[in-house]
Amino acid sequence: HKSFTPPKNDIYIPLQVGAEGKKDLGYLKDNTGDNISSMNPYYCELTGMYWMWKNIEADAYGLFHYRRFLDLSWHHREYFDPLNVSELANLGLTQENFNRLLGKYDIITSPRWNVHPVDLPSNIMSNYEFYCRDHYKKDIDIVEDIIKNKFEEYYFPMLDVLTSRTCFFGNIFIMKKKYFFEFMEWLFAVLEEAEKKIDIKAYSAYQKRIFGFLAERLSNVYVNYAQRKYDVSVKEFSVIKPKYNAYNIEKSN
């Protein structure tokens, strides 16, 4: 949703999310083909995930953010300040490295961090406690009830995630096609049911991003489910989180 200098290679393809009615930034846009671009204020990066699912044919699918990248270089780096364009080009985003990774792993995620409030690392809490602290308890309870009653196979994986004190955040991942498509079918089916039951009219603009927040937890549920059902191999990589003003920004005309 902002202009930036993306890594230049054949793997990383910039996509403008929430593009419907917005200034054209010069990237692919999520308001083409089968899309939910107009729902971006509520679904966040999920409008990009939906667009990939419905409009792109590939062997594997992944999502990074314009200011959050998985570092696939095997250097196990945590943070760059500043992160310049040359460093962006060295994150392992090559076809050769992807072939290597997907030959060994079915799903790649960001790290499972301890769950705690910002700047309070000693206050570790469960995913359920953390969601209720930052958002509305009734909403996560509604989603839990939907899964219990309509998606029974996912119920124990969800309980496992909600009681866990670790989580990967940001909906940042790479998945082989089989798992990505199954994840998308299930995720949007759950969120469609949640939309019917959750009234967000009185929410602040931040809290209206509810379906993106819920999806962060549900992505963990899906990975837990896939590990139980398919014994998938999962690999975690560091997230590079540069300061936005560290980029060599290319202004859109």
Side-chain angles (χ1 to χ4, degrees):
H1 67 278
K2 290 185 177 180
S3 182
F4 77 116
T5 300
K8 291 180 170 57
N9 54 57
D10 294 332
I11 298 297
Y12 184 94
I13 302 172
L15 175 69
Q16 182 179 347
V17 298
E20 185 66 22
K22 301 292 178 60
K23 178 182 177 182
D24 184 352
L25 299 181
Y27 311 133
L28 283 176
K29 294 180 284 296
D30 72 349
N31 64 341
T32 61
D34 188 346
N35 74 86
I36 56 169
S37 181
S38 63
M39 299 296 289
N40 184 260
Y42 322 109
Y43 275 77
C44 308
E45 63 273 359
L46 271 62
T47 63
M49 288 165 55
Y50 183 94
W51 186 87
M52 287 191 291
W53 172 35
K54 294 296 186 178
N55 297 286
I56 296 294
E57 179 59 39
D59 296 322
Y61 297 77
L63 177 76
F64 299 172
H65 297 226
Y66 75 100
R67 58 189 177 93
R68 296 185 184 96
F69 299 86
L70 284 180
D71 181 2
L72 304 177
S73 67
W74 302 86
H75 291 156
H76 304 293
R77 298 173 290 199
E78 293 295 337
Y79 188 81
F80 275 118
D81 183 18
L83 182 70
N84 59 41
V85 176
S86 64
E87 288 169 323
L88 273 179
N90 294 317
L91 297 182
L93 303 177
T94 66
Q95 187 68 60
E96 180 182 7
N97 194 38
F98 266 62
N99 290 344
R100 174 189 176 194
L101 289 170
L102 294 172
K104 296 178 65 175
Y105 307 111
D106 300 304
I107 298 174
I108 296 168
T109 73
S110 56
R112 287 183 174 92
W113 284 296
N114 287 337
V115 178
H116 61 79
V118 176
D119 294 330
L120 291 173
S122 63
N123 187 16
I124 299 174
M125 55 184 63
S126 71
N127 280 298
Y128 181 78
E129 291 169 331
F130 188 64
Y131 190 94
C132 295
R133 176 187 183 277
D134 279 10
H135 310 292
Y136 292 102
K137 176 181 180 295
K138 67 178 181 63
D139 297 341
I140 195 71
D141 289 343
I142 286 171
V143 169
E144 181 182 348
D145 189 60
I146 288 169
I147 291 174
K148 180 179 181 180
N149 290 297
K150 295 201 170 187
F151 305 94
E152 187 177 350
E153 271 193 290
Y154 289 87
Y155 184 56
F156 285 112
M158 182 166 196
L159 291 181
D160 198 7
V161 167
L162 290 182
T163 57
S164 172
R165 293 174 178 263
T166 63
C167 186
F168 61 86
F169 290 98
N171 295 312
I172 299 171
F173 63 85
I174 300 166
M175 294 185 187
K176 290 180 178 177
K177 179 179 180 179
K178 169 184 175 179
Y179 307 111
F180 177 70
F181 272 53
E182 182 176 63
F183 175 41
M184 293 294 94
E185 292 278 1
W186 172 72
L187 174 65
F188 283 99
V190 172
L191 296 181
E192 182 180 357
E193 289 297 315
E195 269 196 81
K196 298 174 185 176
K197 297 175 181 293
I198 299 173
D199 183 358
I200 66 172
K201 288 194 294 292
Y203 286 12
S204 67
Y206 175 74
Q207 293 297 346
K208 283 182 178 178
R209 295 162 57 188
I210 173 176
F211 301 108
F213 298 141
L214 289 169
E216 286 185 284
R217 282 72 182 180
L218 294 176
S219 62
N220 283 259
V221 174
Y222 177 76
V223 172
N224 187 305
Y225 166 81
Q227 287 178 299
R228 290 165 179 252
K229 183 170 183 177
Y230 307 116
D231 193 27
V232 296
S233 54
V234 179
K235 175 67 176 176
E236 300 173 23
F237 277 96
S238 298
V239 169
I240 299 301
K241 300 195 293 182
K243 292 181 179 178
Y244 185 71
N245 61 12
Y247 288 117
N248 175 24
I249 303 297
E250 294 176 350
K251 298 294 184 183
S252 292
N253 295 322

